[in-house]
């Protein structure tokens, strides 16, 4: 028969109602199957024999309904206080974690909307394209509202030299214009050491990533170059790009006399053209020409007009002189009493009763130019001196007598250049001066 000590030791063991495994007193979960163990029952001081379940065998009394976790007396099993506190603490931590993630996510969305996807950032992106000299891309973002021919300078080629591009760009916060729905930002930048300002407007244009606004530039940043040239010319070169001012301009006006006027220049013979362009530094001179040259002018401040004062090249002077020599040859080869347009060599053959024959004309020296005016497209020769020999008689029955005289004068004409096509004209009239 088991001893009292043996019965006491057995009484300190707890049997699992799920699998019948014995567990030490104080254990909450079965070491075999993990089921919750029943609460220990108070022990009688006197040992009472009782039926002991065999391992792996469950009696109806020992097995509780797993669906409603109740004790044998029918009362619900109540979790211990540490379990309740642990569960509450877990829920609190979870709620705090979710709230923190939501706050962080909201802050990220707000920051992105106020920076990367803001109206100001859209203007910044546009200005960065201009600062990179990518004018072709700028056209794709917002094409200036001018005729096609007036877009001659709205090309990346004019900004191929990095030294001509704008620098130190700054963009203000964008302000909404409630009347138009546009967001406008002031921009400042440097071009050729000159600080300049402008304004760019954008409008909402759909969504990006479903959450953020997309923006579209509606007022591209352009400037107007003011270039004055002689009225007889229109072809110039701007940062290496040849343009025809008569086509590339949006306006043509009479040029005003500058404050630092050259007394030898007739500014009244100049026209001022307005040409649209993107902000940059522009170097302007007469288009590459074999006939005309000029000093280069730089535009850093578009508010100021640049004046291109052309100079005749040696080739232009030679071409004009060739035309003059052709006229002189025509005049001197004639044996007529007078030739229209040859006032320097006609002489004075007057007298109704005098007859002349054997007239010859010889020019002394080589004709030279006294003035070539690019502004007006006119030229004047130096004085041309002519010796005239002839025979004369006053009456038909008298013998011929040798005679000679002299004449002199200048030739005047005009010239024009269009796409390097030179036209020189000497009127066939009495505009040639005779002395």
């Amino acid at each position: 028969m088991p001893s009292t000590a043996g019965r006491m030791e057995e009484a300190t063991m707890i049997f699992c109602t799920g699998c019948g495994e014995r567990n030490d007193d104080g254990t909450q979960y079965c070491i075999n199957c993990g089921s919750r163990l029943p609460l220990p029952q108070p022990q009688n001081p006197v040992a009472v024999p009782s039926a002991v379940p065999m391992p792996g065998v469950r009696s109806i009394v020992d097995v509780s309904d797993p669906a409603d976790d109740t004790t044998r007396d029918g009362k619900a099993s109540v979790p211990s206080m540490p379990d309740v506190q642990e569960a509450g603490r877990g829920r609190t931590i979870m709620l705090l974690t979710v709230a923190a993630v939501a706050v962080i996510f909201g802050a990220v969305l707000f920051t992105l909307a106020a920076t990367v996807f803001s109206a100001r950032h859209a203007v910044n992106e546009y200005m960065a394209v201009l600062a990179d000299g990518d004018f072709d891309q700028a056209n794709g973002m917002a094409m200036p509202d001018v005729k096609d021919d007036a877009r001659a300078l709205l090309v990346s080629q004019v900004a191929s030299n990095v030294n001509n591009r704008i620098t130190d760009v700054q963009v203000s916060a964008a302000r909404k214009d409630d009347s138009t729905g546009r967001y406008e930002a002031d921009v400042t930048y440097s071009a050729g050491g000159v600080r300049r300002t402008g304004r760019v407007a954008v409008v909402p244009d759909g969504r990006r990533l479903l959450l953020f606004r997309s923006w579209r530039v509606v007022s591209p940043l352009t400037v107007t170059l003011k270039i004055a040239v002689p009225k007889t010319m229109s072809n110039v070169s701007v940062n290496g790009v040849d343009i025809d001012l008569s086509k590339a301009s949006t306006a043509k006006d009479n040029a005003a006399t500058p404050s630092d006027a050259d007394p030898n220049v007739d500014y009244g013979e100049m026209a001022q053209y307005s040409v649209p362009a993107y902000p940059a530094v522009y170097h302007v001179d007469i288009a590459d020409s074999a006939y005309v040259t000029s000093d280069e002018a730089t535009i850093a401040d578009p508010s100021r007009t640049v004046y291109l004062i052309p100079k005749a090249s040696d080739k232009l002077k030679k071409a004009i002189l060739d035309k003059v020599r052709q006229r002189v040859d025509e005049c001197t080869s004639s044996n007529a009493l007078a030739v229209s347009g040859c006032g320097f060599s006609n002489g004075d053959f007057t007298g109704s009763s005098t007859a002349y024959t054997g007239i010859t004309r010889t020019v002394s020296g080589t004709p030279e130019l006294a003035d070539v005016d690019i502004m007006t497209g006119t030229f004047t020769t130096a004085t041309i001196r002519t010796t005239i020999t002839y025979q004369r008689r006053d009456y038909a029955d008298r013998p011929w007598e040798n005679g000679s005289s002299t004449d002199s004068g200048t030739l005047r004409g005009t010239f024009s250049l269009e796409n390097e096509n030179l036209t020189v004209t000497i009127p066939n009239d009495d505009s040639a001066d005779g002395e």
Side-chain angles (χ1 to χ4, degrees):
M1 174 180 243
S3 65
T4 304
R7 290 195 301 269
M8 293 296 293
E9 179 181 356
E10 188 178 75
T12 61
M13 304 299 290
I14 301 176
F15 290 93
C16 176
T17 59
C19 66
E21 180 69 25
R22 290 184 298 177
N23 295 270
D24 293 336
D25 186 19
T27 304
Q28 294 183 11
Y29 299 93
C30 178
I31 61 175
N32 181 50
C33 67
S35 299
R36 180 182 289 279
L37 297 174
L39 296 175
Q41 299 297 319
Q43 301 294 325
N44 283 327
V46 178
V48 180
S50 60
V52 178
M54 294 298 292
V57 179
R58 294 177 293 176
S59 66
I60 296 177
V61 176
D62 293 332
V63 178
S64 61
D65 187 353
D68 60 359
D69 195 17
T70 57
T71 61
R72 291 175 185 174
D73 58 2
K75 294 182 180 180
S77 175
V78 180
S80 64
M81 185 60 68
D83 291 339
V84 174
Q85 292 176 344
E86 182 178 350
R89 186 181 303 111
R91 286 192 295 271
T92 301
I93 292 173
M94 180 179 295
L95 291 174
L96 290 176
T97 301
V98 171
V101 170
V103 170
I104 294 173
F105 184 69
V108 170
L109 291 181
F110 177 82
T111 301
L112 289 174
T115 54
V116 177
F117 299 99
S118 67
R120 180 182 185 182
H121 185 73
V123 176
N124 261 318
E125 287 183 325
Y126 177 71
M127 293 302 298
V129 169
L130 294 182
D132 288 340
D134 194 348
F135 294 169
D136 295 334
Q137 182 179 347
N139 291 336
M141 299 174 73
M143 176 64 77
D145 186 19
V146 295
K147 61 183 181 180
D148 290 345
D149 287 343
R151 295 171 183 166
L153 295 182
L154 303 177
V155 293
S156 298
Q157 185 180 350
V158 300
S160 59
N161 187 333
V162 67
N163 295 322
N164 293 331
R165 301 173 190 171
I166 61 174
T167 59
D168 191 19
V169 176
Q170 296 181 7
V171 179
S172 73
R175 304 173 302 277
K176 183 179 181 181
D177 185 339
D178 292 330
S179 63
T180 62
R182 307 193 325 173
Y183 290 74
E184 298 180 340
D186 294 326
V187 297
T188 57
Y189 54 91
S190 295
V194 178
R195 197 69 181 161
R196 289 149 61 175
T197 62
R199 180 170 296 175
V200 178
V202 297
V203 295
D205 186 32
R207 291 282 177 179
R208 296 175 66 181
L209 303 179
L210 301 179
L211 298 174
F212 306 103
R213 279 181 171 178
S214 180
W215 300 91
R216 176 169 54 88
V217 178
V218 292
S219 65
L221 185 64
T222 59
V223 297
T224 300
L225 308 184
K226 299 175 183 178
I227 305 172
V229 296
K231 294 178 180 179
T232 56
M233 303 178 60
S234 63
N235 294 315
V236 299
S237 176
V238 183
N239 284 4
V241 176
D242 291 345
I243 64 172
D244 184 346
L245 291 173
S246 64
K247 297 178 180 178
S249 64
T250 56
K252 177 183 178 182
D253 304 287
N254 290 326
T257 302
S259 57
D260 56 347
D262 184 339
N264 298 316
V265 175
D266 184 0
Y267 293 95
E269 296 296 334
M270 301 187 74
Q272 175 182 291
Y273 294 89
S274 299
V275 184
Y278 284 119
V281 178
Y282 292 95
H283 305 283
V284 188
D285 57 12
I286 298 298
D288 189 17
S289 170
Y291 300 104
V292 180
T293 62
S294 72
D295 294 331
E296 182 181 88
T298 299
I299 302 177
D301 183 358
S303 65
R304 301 190 61 182
T305 302
V306 295
Y307 295 81
L308 297 182
I309 311 301
K311 304 172 184 177
S313 69
D314 291 340
K315 184 173 182 178
L316 174 60
K317 295 176 182 178
K318 180 180 182 302
I320 294 174
L321 280 174
D322 287 345
K323 195 73 172 181
V324 168
R325 293 188 183 103
Q326 181 181 342
R327 172 57 61 85
V328 169
D329 290 343
E330 292 172 355
C331 293
T332 57
S333 63
S334 174
N335 57 11
L337 295 180
V339 180
S340 179
C342 299
F344 63 92
S345 63
N346 280 336
D348 184 16
F349 295 100
T350 60
S352 58
S353 61
T354 303
Y356 297 90
T357 189
I359 299 173
T360 60
R361 297 176 170 92
T362 305
V363 170
S364 59
T366 301
E368 296 181 357
L369 292 173
D371 178 62
V372 178
D373 191 338
I374 303 291
M375 295 292 188
T376 58
T378 60
F379 65 87
T380 304
T381 67
T383 300
I384 303 173
R385 302 186 183 281
T386 307
T387 299
I388 306 169
T389 61
Y390 52 86
Q391 289 183 318
R392 58 166 292 178
R393 65 183 180 183
D394 294 328
Y395 301 100
D397 58 349
R398 304 289 294 270
W400 292 97
E401 298 178 356
N402 293 327
S404 67
S405 64
T406 61
D407 202 352
S408 62
T410 60
L411 284 176
R412 296 178 180 178
T414 61
F415 64 91
S416 62
L417 272 172
E418 184 174 352
N419 297 325
E420 283 298 276
N421 294 319
L422 175 64
T423 301
V424 180
T425 303
I426 300 176
N428 274 323
D429 54 29
D430 292 333
S431 61
D433 295 334
E435 296 179 359

